[in-house]
Amino acid sequence: MIEPTLNIRSIQHYLYCPHRWGLLEIDRAWAENVFVTKANLLHSRVHDPERSYTAKGKKVYTSVPVYCDAEEYDLFGVVDCLEVQQEKLAIVEYKPTMPKEEQFRYDDLMQVFAQKLCVDFVFRCDCDAYLYYADKKKRVELPLREKAAEYDAHLKKLLGEMREYMVRGVIPPKKKGQKCNGCSMKDLCMPSVKKAKSIRSIIKELDEP
């Protein structure tokens, strides 16, 4: 069986919640809330592949498709912004909100690490990488080179797990202690007792002669 090529963005989904990732990638379920809408509006300015501009001596390209078809990765995806200055490349990934107690979230870092791997593969470079937080209008450089071997080993482990679930068609169980209040998939993942009773009533009515 041919193993699936994975989208870079699914790495962040998997790290945030494997069960939610399974609903998205295996069940093809989807739901939106205010947080998803806010992120979509933020990304609309950088998800135009025809848009490029020059700012502060940098050539900026938006919505840049990248990939890495090396067997151990087999990834593809889109980089929000790719800045070019004097043949030096830098990834800028947009996020709506900066974490309260840290400079960046690990799942975001791993997403951008995979992006860097693909950019370096396509352009034969060693690019820099940043997260840009819209609420603070601040960019944070990610320390991807310092622990590159550690991140690479973890990425390969994650990709292996994700492919195994997809090939088997199995949705991962919920993580213990997973915070679900802000998740757009909460009602699909954990329907309320009232909704569950309503669904059972409908099914019962359909079964009655």
Side-chain angles (χ1 to χ4, degrees):
M1 181 178 292
I2 299 175
E3 293 191 339
T5 300
L6 296 176
N7 194 312
I8 293 170
R9 69 170 180 264
S10 67
I11 296 166
Q12 192 270 345
H13 290 310
Y14 185 80
L15 280 168
Y16 175 74
C17 175
H19 186 70
R20 182 181 190 274
W21 167 85
L23 292 173
L24 291 169
E25 298 293 334
I26 298 172
D27 245 12
R28 300 298 180 185
W30 179 246
E32 294 192 5
N33 63 7
V34 64
F35 301 108
V36 173
T37 301
K38 183 178 179 181
N40 288 341
L41 289 172
L42 168 66
H43 281 85
S44 64
R45 61 176 292 193
V46 291
H47 280 182
D48 181 359
E50 301 300 323
R51 185 168 181 258
S52 64
Y53 57 93
T54 301
K56 297 181 180 180
K58 302 174 183 176
K59 187 70 174 179
V60 181
Y61 299 89
T62 62
S63 194
V64 181
V66 293
Y67 73 97
C68 177
D69 59 6
E71 185 177 355
E72 65 268 38
Y73 302 110
D74 199 11
L75 286 166
F76 74 98
V78 174
V79 175
D80 282 347
C81 280
L82 192 61
E83 298 179 344
V84 183
Q85 185 176 33
Q86 296 179 350
E87 299 185 359
K88 182 67 177 178
L89 274 63
I91 294 168
V92 183
E93 175 68 16
Y94 281 61
K95 298 295 178 183
T97 308
M98 189 172 189
K100 293 181 179 179
E101 299 179 356
E102 52 194 354
Q103 283 197 310
F104 52 81
R105 290 173 26 164
Y106 184 75
D107 52 346
D108 292 335
L109 177 143
M110 287 301 296
Q111 176 191 356
V112 179
F113 180 78
Q115 290 178 346
K116 172 176 166 56
L117 187 148
C118 291
V119 169
D120 290 350
F121 178 84
V122 171
F123 296 102
R124 300 293 188 267
C125 65
D126 180 17
C127 69
D128 296 327
Y130 300 86
L131 288 173
Y132 176 82
Y133 295 107
D135 62 333
K136 301 295 185 181
K137 293 182 170 58
K138 178 180 179 180
R139 68 163 63 188
V140 174
E141 184 171 8
L142 295 174
L144 300 183
R145 297 185 182 92
E146 289 82 343
K147 296 183 178 180
E150 177 184 324
Y151 297 148
D152 186 63
H154 192 201
L155 176 63
K156 290 175 181 174
K157 179 176 180 293
L158 292 172
L159 297 177
E161 292 175 2
M162 293 159 68
R163 287 195 171 97
E164 183 177 354
Y165 281 123
M166 293 185 76
V167 168
R168 292 167 54 203
V170 174
I171 296 175
K174 280 186 57 182
K175 291 192 299 185
K176 187 176 181 180
Q178 177 68 41
K179 297 179 180 179
C180 303
N181 286 338
C183 179
S184 65
M185 304 286 286
K186 182 180 178 181
D187 287 342
L188 293 176
C189 178
M190 300 185 302
S192 66
V193 173
K194 185 177 180 180
K195 288 182 179 179
K197 287 181 178 178
S198 176
I199 292 171
R200 285 199 294 270
S201 298
I202 293 171
I203 293 173
K204 184 177 179 181
E205 290 177 3
L206 292 174
D207 286 341
E208 290 178 351

